[in-house]
């Protein structure tokens, strides 16, 4: 049982490049989330998904896209990377909305130069 | 991993002492609360949770206290060890909703 797995762990992008951050979970969780973490700030929600085929925007969705074709996978795509997207990205999942713990991946550190 | 928590409040405690980390939450309707530990370069790890129908919950070496009147949570760590050094933050949730609100965190430094 690996939990939530994120790849890559580190990536440097040039301005205008695109990339996909991968997230997969093996806990059969329905709800999956992408957050970004900036220094001195609480985690900010980018996108979330309540199940396969269903996604919705969080607080800071601009510049990102997601898809949820399976229960296990929830990739986050950055189109036209900008320096403001330099951050640490965390994927998380939870089974249901009934007072359940969010389980986090180890994070992906992205630098846009 | 040091960029996370660069400007956070820091609590320094001697090894073996007890630590108390505080968190003010924002939504009076929140009814579920979680404490996470985040070590440098790693993802947040669950420590303990509490529902709003409780004032106190104990785990192994950790206790969470909830004061709904003033919207305040605290995490007490007994006999603090070097391995406890990390950033600790709280999360609040209204159960049945997707949204979790996260605090900015406190850095705990354990002095030998």
């Amino acid at each position: 049982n690996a939990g939530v797995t994120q790849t890559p762990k580190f990536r440097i992008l040039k301005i205008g490049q695109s990339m996909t951050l991968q997230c997969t979970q093996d806990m059969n969780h329905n709800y999956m989330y992408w957050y970004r973490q900036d220094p001195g700030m609480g985690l900010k929600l980018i996108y979330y998904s309540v199940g396969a085929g269903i996604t919705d925007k969080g607080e800071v969705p601009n510049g990102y896209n997601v898809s949820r074709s399976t229960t296990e996978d929830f990739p986050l795509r950055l189109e036209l990377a900008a320096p403001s997207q330099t951050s640490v990205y965390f994927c998380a999942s939870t089974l249901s909305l009934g007072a359940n713990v969010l389980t986090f991946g180890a994070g992906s550190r992205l630098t846009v130069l | 991993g040091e960029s996370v928590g660069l400007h956070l409040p820091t609590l320094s405690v001697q090894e073996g002492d007890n630590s108390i980390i505080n968190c003010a939450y924002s939504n009076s309707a929140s009814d579920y609360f979680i404490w996470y530990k985040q070590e440098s370069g790693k993802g947040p790890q669950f420590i303990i949770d509490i529902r709003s129908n409780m004032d106190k919950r104990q785990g192994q070496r950790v206790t969470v206290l909830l004061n709904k009147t003033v919207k305040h949570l605290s995490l007490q760590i007994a006999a603090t060890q070097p391995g406890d050094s990390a950033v600790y933050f709280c999360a609040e949730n209204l159960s049945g909703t997707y949204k979790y609100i996260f605090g900015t965190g406190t850095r705990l430094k354990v002095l030998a």
Side-chain angles (χ1 to χ4, degrees):
Chain A
N1 188 336
V4 179
T5 302
Q6 291 183 235
T7 56
K9 194 160 176 62
F10 302 96
R11 182 73 187 266
I12 298 174
L13 280 182
K14 293 183 180 176
I15 294 172
Q17 286 186 319
S18 304
M19 76 158 299
T20 299
L21 300 178
Q22 302 290 345
C23 175
T24 187
Q25 52 90 10
D26 61 359
M27 298 173 286
N28 205 30
H29 283 178
N30 294 312
Y31 296 84
M32 295 188 74
Y33 301 75
W34 274 106
Y35 293 94
R36 59 178 287 170
Q37 187 177 46
D38 299 305
M41 309 281 286
L43 290 159
K44 298 294 184 190
L45 180 64
I46 305 171
Y47 270 94
Y48 68 100
S49 169
V50 302
I54 307 170
T55 63
D56 209 345
K57 295 178 181 179
E59 304 167 76
V60 290
N62 291 345
Y64 307 95
N65 275 300
V66 293
S67 59
R68 184 99 181 268
S69 56
T70 66
T71 299
E72 295 79 19
D73 300 306
F74 190 41
L76 177 72
R77 180 143 182 96
L78 283 72
E79 305 280 4
L80 298 175
S84 61
Q85 294 177 303
T86 294
S87 190
V88 182
Y89 293 85
F90 289 100
C91 181
S93 71
T94 189
L95 178 62
S96 69
L97 296 182
N100 279 305
V101 175
L102 269 182
T103 300
F104 286 88
S108 298
R109 178 177 298 279
L110 176 67
T111 302
V112 183
L113 300 173
Chain B
E2 287 303 314
S3 67
V4 171
L6 265 179
H7 306 291
L8 296 177
T10 298
L11 174 67
S12 297
V13 297
Q14 288 293 137
E15 182 178 354
D17 286 353
N18 297 334
S19 303
I20 300 176
I21 299 170
N22 296 305
C23 173
Y25 65 90
S26 61
N27 184 357
S28 56
S30 294
D31 58 2
Y32 178 60
F33 306 88
I34 311 169
W35 276 102
Y36 286 96
K37 173 185 181 183
Q38 187 175 18
E39 295 175 278
S40 182
K42 297 186 178 179
Q45 283 178 272
F46 168 81
I47 303 173
I48 192 167
D49 59 358
I50 188 168
R51 300 189 185 206
S52 60
N53 60 354
M54 303 173 71
D55 297 324
K56 179 179 178 178
R57 190 167 188 220
Q58 288 184 286
Q60 188 174 17
R61 279 201 311 120
V62 294
T63 300
V64 55
L65 298 177
L66 175 63
N67 184 331
K68 295 181 285 292
T69 303
V70 294
K71 296 192 292 183
H72 184 268
L73 271 175
S74 67
L75 176 71
Q76 301 178 359
I77 304 173
T80 312
Q81 302 168 358
D84 295 327
S85 292
V87 173
Y88 292 81
F89 60 88
C90 63
E92 58 180 290
N93 171 248
L94 176 58
S95 56
T97 70
Y98 72 90
K99 189 171 182 180
Y100 293 74
I101 301 171
F102 297 89
T104 53
T106 297
R107 179 180 301 283
L108 177 65
K109 285 190 176 179
V110 182
L111 308 171

